[in-house]
Amino acid sequence: MPSIKENKLTHIYLTAGLLFSVLSIGIIGYMMLGFSLSEAVYQTIITIATVGFEEVHQLDNRGMWFTSILVIFSIGIFFYAVTTFTRFIVEGVFLNTYKDNKVKRRIDRLSGHVVICGFGRNGKQAAFELIEHQFEVVIIEQDSETIQSLRETPGMLYVEGDATDENILIHSGIDKARAMITTLPQDADNLFVVLSAKELNPELKIISRASADNSDLKLKRAGATNVIMSDKIGGQRMAKLVAQPDVVEFMELILLQSEDKVLLDEISCDRLSPAFADKSIRELDIRNTSGANIIGLKREDNSYMINPVPDTKLKSSDKLFALGNRSQINALIATISSENPDE
């Protein structure tokens, strides 16, 4: 279904086509009556615009009939075109088209970005969180008011349209994206988006929202990496606030705190220095050298170790979960990447 902007652009193209046709007919007609090209252009314009200037040459009987017919057919088209182009500029369609094309060129150059389908409450929160973590984000949204708001927000990348449309997904650069989050209100729409996205990019990590109890299994079978049931999570959180309020508040303090105070981050060991091969957390002395704490570890087989013991040996395929502020996390990365174990 064409968007409002596409309908307006089609309207503009049609109006421009009619105006060009009338001008062409007038110029050709006057040239056939003996006018030069420049004279024919001038005579056509003053005739269509009805400005009241005198004719370039005295018109004979054929010229008067042609001019009369040209005026009858062109005057309505001319003033309609002026009105259309004025409205086109006043309503901001020209400016919006310029902004959309500029955003499209930026999206075409992206790689490794995150596509978010739907900019409702969940999508908006996900987008701002990812932007805060320095991810490039492309938002797919079909609501015209939301798109206008995104246009007016500096730096936001967006595609106007229905995320269930495969062409819209292609415009978002889904084939070069690292992940997609779909937060559409209907589970069936999310399922369709997951199927389409997985076909376009089989390696894509997909996070989907779900509402119905049995939708999570269907979405995972369709290719979703993770399925978030916001209602279920919300209910569990409310119950935890009754049963274990301090635990919940402590975790929120860690997860929602600004990065300059405290940060729970994941660090890949793929840059682990050969000097640290088969060395344990105790031997690396990470706590003393960086100030960060390793609170978890993920192995190559996707198994997790919570609060690994100091004798745990690190491998380049591991992923660390560390707690600390940004400077401490950076110091930890520098420590495991160092070529000199004594540094």
Side-chain angles (χ1 to χ4, degrees):
M1 188 179 200
S3 65
I4 295 175
K5 186 192 77 172
E6 289 173 338
N7 288 332
K8 288 183 178 179
L9 288 175
T10 302
H11 193 56
I12 288 292
Y13 296 148
L14 179 61
T15 303
L18 289 173
L19 185 60
F20 178 77
S21 298
V22 169
L23 287 170
S24 299
I25 292 172
I27 292 169
I28 294 172
Y30 281 118
M31 290 182 69
M32 292 177 65
L33 292 172
F35 288 62
S36 67
L37 176 60
S38 58
E39 291 173 340
V41 172
Y42 176 75
Q43 183 65 47
T44 300
I45 292 175
I46 65 173
T47 301
I48 293 174
T50 64
V51 293
F53 294 162
E54 293 184 358
E55 296 88 351
V56 177
H57 299 297
Q58 187 67 34
L59 297 174
D60 57 13
N61 190 53
R62 289 187 308 157
M64 288 187 290
W65 274 107
F66 176 75
T67 300
S68 299
I69 295 172
L70 182 64
V71 170
I72 292 172
F73 283 99
S74 66
I75 188 169
I77 294 175
F78 176 76
F79 287 107
Y80 177 71
V82 171
T83 303
T84 300
F85 287 125
T86 302
R87 189 170 65 246
F88 180 79
I89 295 172
V90 171
E91 291 182 355
V93 178
F94 177 79
L95 181 60
N96 288 344
T97 302
Y98 170 77
K99 289 181 178 179
D100 292 349
N101 289 335
K102 188 176 180 181
V103 167
K104 182 180 182 300
R105 288 193 295 271
R106 286 186 59 192
I107 294 174
D108 290 340
R109 294 194 296 266
L110 286 181
S111 179
H113 57 288
V114 180
V115 177
I116 297 181
C117 303
F119 201 61
R121 292 189 299 271
N122 293 325
K124 186 178 296 185
Q125 185 63 40
F128 291 153
E129 185 75 16
L130 287 168
I131 291 172
E132 185 176 340
H133 284 82
Q134 309 301 316
F135 283 88
E136 292 279 7
V137 174
V138 176
I139 297 159
I140 299 177
E141 176 58 58
Q142 62 179 341
D143 181 70
S144 57
E145 292 184 4
T146 303
I147 286 293
Q148 186 59 37
S149 175
L150 290 170
R151 282 194 188 101
E152 296 170 359
T153 305
M156 295 299 286
L157 302 179
Y158 55 85
V159 176
E160 183 177 7
D162 186 354
T164 60
D165 185 343
E166 190 171 291
N167 290 324
I168 297 297
L169 290 175
I170 293 173
H171 291 328
S172 72
I174 198 73
D175 58 322
K176 297 181 292 181
R178 66 185 296 173
M180 181 187 76
I181 299 175
T182 174
T183 64
L184 303 179
Q186 300 297 323
D187 290 351
D189 291 338
N190 286 319
L191 181 63
F192 195 87
V193 171
V194 170
L195 286 168
S196 300
K198 204 65 177 178
E199 182 178 351
L200 293 169
N201 185 351
E203 303 300 321
L204 187 69
K205 181 177 183 179
I206 302 177
I207 315 297
S208 177
R209 174 185 181 272
S211 299
D213 289 338
N214 60 345
S215 294
D216 56 338
L217 296 177
K218 295 178 181 178
L219 285 162
K220 286 184 177 180
R221 283 199 296 266
T225 312
N226 300 94
V227 179
I228 306 300
M229 304 186 70
S230 53
D231 294 338
K232 183 178 180 180
I233 292 175
Q236 289 177 340
R237 181 175 176 275
M238 286 186 280
K240 286 284 187 182
L241 282 169
V242 174
Q244 298 172 302
D246 293 335
V247 172
V248 175
E249 291 182 5
F250 178 73
M251 292 304 298
E252 286 185 346
L253 179 66
I254 294 175
L255 295 174
L256 303 180
Q257 191 76 261
S258 60
E259 292 189 4
D260 59 333
K261 294 182 180 179
V262 65
L263 173 67
L264 178 59
D265 204 358
E266 58 181 59
I267 302 169
S268 176
C269 291
D270 56 1
R271 293 185 296 174
L272 186 66
S273 171
F276 294 135
D278 293 324
K279 288 187 177 290
S280 67
I281 296 174
R282 187 196 306 277
E283 290 174 299
L284 294 178
D285 198 19
I286 288 173
R287 179 71 178 94
N288 291 327
T289 56
S290 68
N293 288 298
I294 297 179
I295 64 173
L297 188 147
K298 182 181 180 182
R299 292 296 192 185
E300 188 177 10
D301 60 358
N302 291 327
S303 62
Y304 289 87
M305 296 178 64
I306 308 299
N307 192 24
V309 297
D311 293 328
T312 302
K313 293 184 178 181
L314 298 183
K315 300 178 181 179
S316 60
S317 57
D318 291 341
K319 181 172 289 185
L320 305 178
F321 302 101
L323 184 65
N325 58 35
R326 174 48 65 188
S327 62
Q328 291 171 333
I329 296 297
N330 289 338
L332 171 56
I333 295 174
T335 297
I336 66 174
S337 302
S338 173
E339 294 295 334
N340 185 356
D342 297 327
E343 289 184 355

